[in-house]
Each structure stands twice: as C-alpha cells, then as structure tokens.
Amino acid sequence: MVALETSSLTFETHTTGLSLLNSAKCYRPLQSDSTRDDQVKQGLVLLMAHGTGYHKEHWEPTIEHLFDLESELTSTKTPPTPTIRECWAIDVQNHGEAAVLNEQVTRERPEAWCKHRSAIHNILGSNPSYRDNKFVLVAHSASATAAILATTFFPLPILQTQNIFHSLVLIEPAIAPTPAFVDPALHTPLYRAISLLMTNRKNTWASKEEARVWMEKKIPWGMWDARVLKAYVDFGLVDNAKGGVTLSCTRQTEALAYERGIRQSTRTASKTKGNYKPIIPIHIVWGDIDDLFSREMKDRLEDPEQGRVFTSVTRVEDVGHMVSMGSKFVGVAFDSIKQMIQTSPQATAKALWDIFSESTPDAVSLLGENSEDQGTQKPRNPRRGNLHSRL
C-alpha cells in the first residue's frame, strides 16, 4: 500500500451572508521520485464531497485504493495513465469536524448544505501551484448538487478557455430529474422509511467504543468496510453534555437533507440541461442495485431526450446507494444495506480510476466542440456511453 501524508486545512467562507468555518484534508503520496514529481505538476487534483450523514474521512479507504491503483498501473500501461497529484476531502459545514466548528450557527441554520459549494470553490484557489493542474470534482449523493453549483463561480468564458476542470464524477447523485420526482409517492420504499426514521434514530452512546460495538451488529454500519466504520466513529461522533458521545451531524440535519435536499436538487438538474456546447465532462456512477433511488428516476436523469447527455454512465456490481432484500424493517425488506463508498471503497476507486484513465487527451480536447460531433465512439457497454455533457 502506498504510504500517504495528510495535511488539514480550516478556512472561512461567506455565502449569502452566512459565515461558516470549513474543514478539509489533503492526501498525497508520502514518498515520491523525480519522475512523479514532474508528472504531478500537470496531474489531477481530486476534490471529494461526501453524502448526507457522513464526513470527509469516509473517503480515506477509496483514496488509498486510488493511489495504489496509480502505483500498480502507471508503470505498465501504454499510453501512461493520469497522475493524481493529491486528493482533497471536504466536510459539509454541518457534518464531521466542521459541525463542531459551526455548532452555534448550524443549530439555528441546519440547512447549511447548499453552502458547501463555496467550500469546494475555495479549495480550487487555495494553492497557486495548481495553475497547471486540472480538477476533478467527485461527489457522492446529496453533495452532487454542491459540486455542480461550485462550477458556477467561474464565468463561462473562463470555463471554455482555461480547462480548469478535468471532469465531474457524480456517484449515486441525489438529483431529481424533474419536479415530478419530488412527490413522495414516487420515492422508493427505502427512501420513505429512512426519511421517517431519521428523527428518531439512536444518537447517543456512553463512549465511542460502545458505539462501535453497537454499530457492528446493526444495519447498515455492520456491512461497512472496517476502515470506514472506524472513521465514522472516530470523526462522526463528538462528546455530549452527559459525558457520552453523540452524532456530529444531528438527526435534524439528516432529516432536513432527506426532506428538502431532493426538492432543491431539481434546480441543479436544470443546470445540466440544454442544447448547448459541452463545457465540462460529467460522469455518473450508479450502483447496479436500485434501492434508495428508482431505476425510473435514474433513467430519466440520464435520458438524452431530457436535454442531459453525460460523458459516461457506469454501474458498479452488487452495490447500490443502499440494497434491500430479506427480512422486514419498518415495512422495507432487506437483509443488508450496501452503500458504495462505505462497503466497497475498492470498487469505488476502480470505477473512478477507469474514468480517469479512459478520459484521453483527445476526449478532453472536445470541450467546447459542437455537441452534434460527440458520441462517435461505440459505448463500452449497453448502459455506458462516451458522450460529452455541459453545465
């Protein structure tokens, strides 16, 4: 395994008059050689945003596998694969470490989710040496909205001419393709059940160790990769006034994300529509099990006749946002819940790496070309095309 060094960054953002502190971590290989040093000057910088109820450290196992794949494959593949300079993982301002920093503000304004876009934007300008690097925004679930909105900080002429972004990768994006899908009647049984359960879920334990033992026996935590569960306990739980620990992301915050997030996402979906010239390649990664979001909703989001044409659509086998089958739980049948990043960081890393390595310089040079000229390559499988999209 490639040894990584980690650095932390805390910074302030102001969006719509709300001042919030932001926390982020940067991961890069601990040891390098002169060849890699030259490559990273024009390598990829990944900005990774998490889903509802999680935090930046959930990305660590996926990041570790990404650098392992780079180390294993870069020296053997012709032409050379992209070099990842570093990976940033960013907390939503009312999740993880950032929730503690912003506790007083977010207690009164728990809907700080959409402010996340300004945190992503600030990382983009945090290092002058990034001028020759391209950014990849990787967003899971509800953070897909923030990732898309982060690109709107840049004037269109700059996006068209400077190639700031290599791509956007949206993993199980929580985006309603049309306002009709906001209707709870069209939500999956699992989505409706989780929405109801959020405000009453267990949220206190005597200690982090007690919480870990309890979670290991419960769904979904017991299904997670052990490293992800450890990160969830270490960074997702904070001391409470009674001498125990509680969730850093409060139950109210999670409930609001399920209640309001999908409704607000319809405006984001409109930003990916239109018969315009492509600006930034957008990739979607779904789990092949349709649990939290229905296949109908996914198909509608990626339907080119709706005005959204994505660079690629990938399905990762045996995982979903969540997967349900088997025993009963509040009217939802499931024996296990598999969340892609939480249970399958290696598969997630492989899906990301395939996107990076297949995004050839020729594909990137198509940015700004007429959309009618796109899509000439044969799809890699029946549900994965090679078309370009725009914001």
Side-chain angles (χ1 to χ4, degrees), residues 275-289:
N275 297 316
Y276 299 96
K277 295 179 180 180
I279 301 299
I280 303 172
I282 307 177
H283 306 264
I284 291 185
V285 180
W286 300 116
D288 71 350
I289 299 168

Side-chain angles (χ1 to χ4, degrees), residues 52-55 57-58 201-202 205 208 215 221 224 226-238 247-249 254 342:
T52 301
Y54 307 126
H55 46 75
E57 287 80 12
H58 274 229
R201 61 173 290 196
K202 182 175 175 60
W205 297 266
K208 288 187 176 182
M215 290 178 186
W221 308 279
W224 289 359
R227 296 166 296 174
V228 176
L229 179 58
K230 183 179 185 303
Y232 185 73
V233 172
D234 288 348
F235 299 98
L237 301 180
V238 295
L247 300 168
S248 62
C249 175
E254 286 194 79
Q342 283 68 37

Side-chain angles (χ1 to χ4, degrees), residues 88 147 169 191 195 197 318-319 341 346 368 381 389:
W88 284 93
V169 183
Y191 191 101
S195 299
L197 288 169
D318 299 326
V319 295
I341 295 165
Q346 190 165 6
N381 65 45
S389 185

Side-chain angles (χ1 to χ4, degrees), residues 157-224:
I158 290 179
L159 290 177
Q160 290 175 317
T161 60
Q162 295 189 15
N163 280 348
I164 296 170
F165 295 99
H166 172 277
S167 55
L168 271 68
V169 183
L170 310 180
I171 300 176
E172 284 277 320
I175 298 176
T178 67
F181 283 89
V182 175
D183 184 353
L186 295 180
H187 294 169
T188 63
L190 187 59
Y191 191 101
R192 290 196 296 269
I194 291 176
S195 299
L196 293 172
L197 288 169
M198 281 300 174
T199 55
N200 296 311
R201 61 173 290 196
K202 182 175 175 60
N203 70 332
T204 59
W205 297 266
S207 66
K208 288 187 176 182
E209 177 60 19
E210 180 185 279
R212 183 190 61 79
V213 172
W214 183 86
M215 290 178 186
E216 284 179 339
K217 300 174 182 178
K218 302 291 183 179
I219 294 171
W221 308 279
M223 301 300 300
W224 289 359

Side-chain angles (χ1 to χ4, degrees), residues 61-268:
T62 298
I63 291 170
E64 291 170 356
H65 286 300
L66 272 173
F67 281 112
D68 286 345
L69 283 169
E70 183 195 72
S71 178
E72 294 168 10
L73 300 177
T74 298
S75 60
T76 60
K77 189 169 181 178
T78 304
T81 54
T83 300
I84 301 173
R85 171 173 173 168
E86 55 200 23
C87 297
W88 284 93
I90 310 169
D91 274 331
V92 175
Q93 290 101 323
N94 51 11
H95 288 56
E97 178 187 4
V100 179
L101 298 174
N102 296 303
E103 182 179 8
Q104 186 171 355
V105 177
T106 57
R107 188 186 299 115
E108 300 175 2
R109 297 280 300 275
E111 74 283 2
W113 186 275
C114 286
K115 316 304 178 196
H116 191 35
R117 66 185 186 272
S118 57
I120 297 172
H121 173 252
N122 270 259
I123 295 291
L124 295 173
S126 64
N127 188 336
S129 70
Y130 286 157
R131 63 184 179 275
D132 294 323
N133 297 106
K134 289 186 174 66
F135 292 95
V136 182
L137 304 186
V138 182
H140 177 229
S141 192
S143 64
T145 295
I148 291 171
L149 292 176
T151 67
T152 65
F153 281 100
F154 296 89
L156 189 59
I158 290 179
L159 290 177
Q160 290 175 317
T161 60
Q162 295 189 15
N163 280 348
I164 296 170
F165 295 99
H166 172 277
S167 55
L168 271 68
V169 183
L170 310 180
I171 300 176
E172 284 277 320
I175 298 176
T178 67
F181 283 89
V182 175
D183 184 353
L186 295 180
H187 294 169
T188 63
L190 187 59
Y191 191 101
R192 290 196 296 269
I194 291 176
S195 299
L196 293 172
L197 288 169
M198 281 300 174
T199 55
N200 296 311
R201 61 173 290 196
K202 182 175 175 60
N203 70 332
T204 59
W205 297 266
S207 66
K208 288 187 176 182
E209 177 60 19
E210 180 185 279
R212 183 190 61 79
V213 172
W214 183 86
M215 290 178 186
E216 284 179 339
K217 300 174 182 178
K218 302 291 183 179
I219 294 171
W221 308 279
M223 301 300 300
W224 289 359
D225 182 283
R227 296 166 296 174
V228 176
L229 179 58
K230 183 179 185 303
Y232 185 73
V233 172
D234 288 348
F235 299 98
L237 301 180
V238 295
D239 295 339
N240 63 19
K242 298 180 179 180
V245 296
T246 189
L247 300 168
S248 62
C249 175
T250 67
R251 294 183 297 189
Q252 181 188 17
T253 295
E254 286 194 79
L256 278 173
Y258 276 88
E259 175 192 346
R260 300 181 183 179
I262 200 70
R263 183 168 64 246
Q264 294 172 341
S265 73
T266 58
R267 287 173 288 179
T268 306

